[in-house]
Each structure stands twice: as structure tokens, then as C-alpha cells.
Amino acid sequence: GALISAFAEFDRRNQWIPMYNKLGIETSKQESELGLTAEESFKEINFPKNRYQNVLPYDQNRVLLNNVQEGNTNFLNASPLLVPFANRDYILTQGPLETTAEDFWQMVWEQNSRIIVMLNNIMEKGSIKCYHYFVDNDEKEKTFGNFSIKMEEERGTGVYRIRTIKLTALDKKFLVDDEESTRTISHFHYINWPDFGVPNETRSFLEFLEKTNQAQILLKEEKIESPVIVHCSAGIGRSGAYVIVDCVLNYLQKGNQSDSAAGDTVEVPKSIDELVIFIRRHRMGLIQTPEQLRFCWKAIVDWLKAHPEENGNGDDTLSASSSDVAVTTNNDPSIISPNPTTTWLGR
Ligand code: PTR
Ligand code: PTR
């Protein structure tokens, strides 16, 4: 397959840093072309809600709280990310602060999310990277303002934990019609992503990703359409890497999943680069290091090697560094790809 040989070639020629830098240049160009701003973050009442002063949601693409409480605003550091060709709907967000944990759970409730993917640990490099907004085995219950959470079950391995959490809305104003006030949330926690860099092997990450994928398939079977919440500490480095690998693997298995019958066919990105640029229109800084970029590729390549039947069966059109950044927008007939299966990854 094209991807496997391209990966080996980038390694051999040591191309990851130049590739990553080139993406940075294209990202800044895109940011100014699209006029992306983060002014809402700088409002006095909102600024302290950001964990990092330099990682802010774009005004043009942020999740709003619906039931805004008195004295609060609709602001939280969270960005929606819809990826139609891979049939994925995410919200990327920062690791909650103590002061934003209630807002976080309110978002989970209001957006009808049932899956949370957490890629960081509470403590890293000797400092706190995220508030302990969830429950684990030795705790049973916690309340955050209008929401309470209760531990049902925890399972998993030494590398990841899967927690089943009951989320209850304590105020009826959050309930639609006569819906129940309690929902089941699956909390997928990858605990093996080291302080700096990337996991030293891809197998356990791929296994973790597969677990999150299975949970999404179950939800779809139950006809629950809801975004998957993905976060790390800033919600950009590791979260960006997760999204890239998840989208590509889902595409390799199922092909372009945008709905052509509904007229929403979207072009499939021609390269991983192009996908990185696309997701960076939705949230700044996704994928933080050349090493993380390589890790994405490595995970995809390792997956392909383990699934040779998915290993490309057409032309080798994958270009690693396409400089023409395609814009994949819904409902724009001019960009409908007549044959999406030949445009990417040799599929
Ligand atoms: N600016 C950051 C620092 O110097 O700490 C760099 C950084 C980038 C830190 C990514 C952490 C990052 O995430 P991860 O732990 O996933 O590599
Ligand atoms: N100001 C922080 C820094 O540059 O170190 C922001 C930051 C922190 C950025 C963590 C990325 C980080 O990694 P991740 O998104 O994987 O938590």
C-alpha cells in the first residue's frame, strides 16, 4: 500500500519535522484567510474558564451552553468537529477545570453525548493537567451544581480504563418532555500517553480506539446520534491525534460515508496532511508535535499491516504533503467527488 511505503520513506528521509512545519504554515494561512478569531475567550468573565491562555476555541466554531445560569455565560472551551466522510461527530475540549466541571457536564447533557474519551492523566510532569471531574473506583458519587454522577462499573487494563457512569440532571429544566433524568455515559480513559510525546507502541492505543469505536456502533444501533467528547489537557495535541487515526481507520473500513442520497457527499481528503488542515479549521493547534504526527501515521500503518485485506486496492494517489488544501463543505455540488474511492489512500 501507498501509505505503508510513504511512511517508511518519511522515516528514511527524516521528513516529519519539515512536514509538520509545512502544516503549520498552511494552518496560519488558513486561519487568516477564514478570519478565525477567539474574542469570546478574552471577555473578562470567560477568560478564566480557559485552562491555557493560548489554547482557545474559535468564535466561529464553539459549543454553547443552552441553559445559561444567572451570572454565567454560554462560553466553554469546547469545539464541535463534524467529519462527514468518516461519519464522525466529535466535540473537542480541554480537560475541565474545577470551575468549569459543571459546565462540562451540562454540555455532555445538552449535547446528548454518551461517550467521553479522555487521553490524559490528572497529574503529569508533576503538575495537575485536569480536574478530577469524573468518578473512579474508590469514589461512588459526586455532584456538580445541576448534575450528579455515580460510578456503575470500572473495567479495562493497565493501559486504559472504561467506566460506566450514571449522569443525572437534578433540575427538570434540562429534561425534554417526560424524559428520564438519568443517562448512562461511557468514560474511556487512556492512561498510557506519556507526559511528553507519544505512546511507545501503537497496539494498546489501537485496542483502546477499537473499544471506543464499538461503543459508537452500539449507540448508532440504538439510534442515539450524539457527539463523542474527546479531551486531553489542552484538547489539541493528543485529541487531534486520536481524531486523525479514528477518522482514517473508519474510512479505510467503510469508505466515504457522507450521505450522497441526501446530497451531502463530501470530498474525501487526499492525504493525512489535508485532514490535519481540515480539522484545524475547527480548533486551533490540533496535533502538537512532529512526533505526534508520526504517531498518527504509525498507528494507521500498523493497523493496515494487521488488516491486509483493507490495505489499498487501487492507485497509489496518496500524497503526503498536498499543498492544495481542499475545503470539504456540505451541500456544495462543485466539490462532489464522482468517485471518492479513488481519491485517497489508494482505496
Ligand atoms: N508547549 C508544550 C510544553 O512545552 O510543555 C509542549 C507540549 C506539547 C506539551 C504537547 C505537551 C504536549 O502534549 P503531549 O503530552 O500529548 O505530547
Ligand atoms: N500552554 C500550553 C503549552 O504550550 O504547554 C498548552 C498546551 C498544553 C498545549 C498541553 C498542548 C497540550 O497538550 P494536549 O493538548 O495533548 O493536552
Side-chain angles (χ1 to χ4, degrees):
L3 196 60
I4 295 176
S5 49
F7 177 80
E9 186 65 8
F10 291 138
D11 260 2
R12 197 180 61 75
R13 289 165 41 215
N14 209 357
Q15 285 297 299
W16 299 103
I17 293 173
M19 262 174 80
Y20 181 81
N21 291 341
K22 184 164 169 283
L23 281 173
I25 294 167
E26 287 182 21
T27 303
S28 334
K29 214 172 85 192
Q30 162 173 271
E31 197 179 61
S32 58
E33 275 170 13
L34 295 172
L36 300 175
T37 52
E39 282 163 19
E40 208 51 47
S41 287
F42 286 103
K43 293 191 176 158
E44 202 176 329
I45 182 167
N46 293 335
F47 199 59
K49 298 177 187 174
N50 297 296
R51 173 172 290 281
Y52 299 103
Q53 303 189 354
N54 58 353
V55 181
L56 309 170
Y58 290 128
D59 297 321
Q60 292 78 3
N61 190 63
R62 61 187 186 90
V63 180
L64 313 184
L65 295 176
N66 296 331
N67 276 287
V68 179
Q69 302 191 57
E70 219 183 303
N72 200 4
T73 66
N74 67 14
F75 178 88
L76 80 172
N77 188 314
S79 315
L81 171 57
L82 204 61
V83 190
F85 85 90
N87 193 18
R88 285 296 195 238
D89 184 1
Y90 310 96
I91 289 174
L92 306 188
T93 187
Q94 67 182 15
L97 296 160
E98 184 169 4
T99 50
T100 63
E102 182 185 353
D103 293 346
F104 174 86
W105 284 112
Q106 184 176 329
M107 170 177 77
V108 171
W109 185 273
E110 289 180 342
Q111 301 297 321
N112 197 26
S113 288
R114 308 303 170 100
I115 298 174
I116 298 170
V117 176
M118 170 172 181
L119 300 164
N120 63 296
N121 288 306
I122 297 296
M123 181 81 109
E124 293 171 354
K125 296 177 213 149
S127 60
I128 303 279
K129 291 298 178 99
C130 180
Y131 180 64
H132 198 126
Y133 68 91
F134 54 98
V135 273
D136 43 39
N137 254 339
D138 44 352
E139 313 149 301
K140 289 278 171 261
E141 227 167 321
K142 278 183 186 168
T143 299
F144 301 97
N146 285 311
F147 296 90
S148 74
I149 53 172
K150 187 166 183 282
M151 177 68 138
E152 283 280 299
E153 190 202 358
E154 175 165 346
R155 58 192 194 283
T157 68
V159 173
Y160 60 84
R161 310 298 302 163
I162 303 173
R163 305 185 178 99
T164 306
I165 294 173
K166 293 282 184 194
L167 171 63
T168 301
L170 301 173
D171 190 320
K172 291 230 178 330
K173 74 179 175 202
F174 292 102
L175 308 182
V176 178
D177 301 330
D178 50 356
E179 92 176 291
E180 284 195 42
S181 61
T182 297
R183 293 179 191 161
T184 303
I185 309 292
S186 301
H187 188 258
F188 292 87
H189 187 182
Y190 192 71
I191 54 183
N192 204 34
W193 202 308
D195 300 338
F196 270 108
V198 297
N200 57 13
E201 45 93 21
T202 58
R203 193 192 46 77
S204 68
F205 179 72
L206 287 171
E207 188 182 311
F208 172 77
L209 197 123
E210 177 57 23
K211 299 280 177 199
T212 64
N213 191 26
Q214 286 163 3
Q216 292 191 61
I217 291 169
L218 287 178
L219 274 188
K220 291 228 158 80
E221 282 172 11
E222 290 179 54
K223 302 258 183 292
I224 299 177
E225 295 284 338
S226 70
V228 174
I229 304 213
V230 183
H231 81 82
C232 41
S233 181
I236 57 173
R238 292 164 279 193
S239 296
Y242 172 88
V243 163
I244 294 288
V245 179
D246 188 45
C247 285
V248 172
L249 295 191
N250 211 38
Y251 171 71
L252 286 171
Q253 288 171 81
K254 304 203 191 107
N256 187 353
Q257 291 167 74
S258 59
D259 190 352
S260 53
D264 299 344
T265 309
V266 290
E267 194 170 307
V268 176
K270 291 185 184 56
S271 64
I272 292 175
D273 277 19
E274 212 174 270
L275 182 57
V276 173
I277 300 285
F278 170 76
I279 66 172
R280 283 182 177 180
R281 298 165 49 154
H282 300 81
R283 187 166 170 86
M284 59 176 67
L286 297 176
I287 301 199
Q288 279 282 292
T289 63
E291 208 190 0
Q292 286 179 347
L293 183 63
R294 180 180 183 276
F295 179 77
C296 292
W297 274 76
K298 179 88 168 66
I300 295 162
V301 162
D302 288 350
W303 184 89
L304 278 169
K305 286 179 178 165
H307 300 82
E309 74 285 1
E310 315 273 358
N311 195 351
N313 47 15
D315 54 347
D316 286 3
T317 51
L318 176 80
S319 87
S321 48
S322 62
S323 42
D324 55 329
V325 181
V327 172
T328 57
T329 324
N330 273 331
N331 300 323
D332 179 354
S334 68
I335 59 156
I336 290 178
S337 168
N339 186 2
T341 60
T342 60
T343 55
W344 200 36
L345 304 180
R347 211 193 131 92

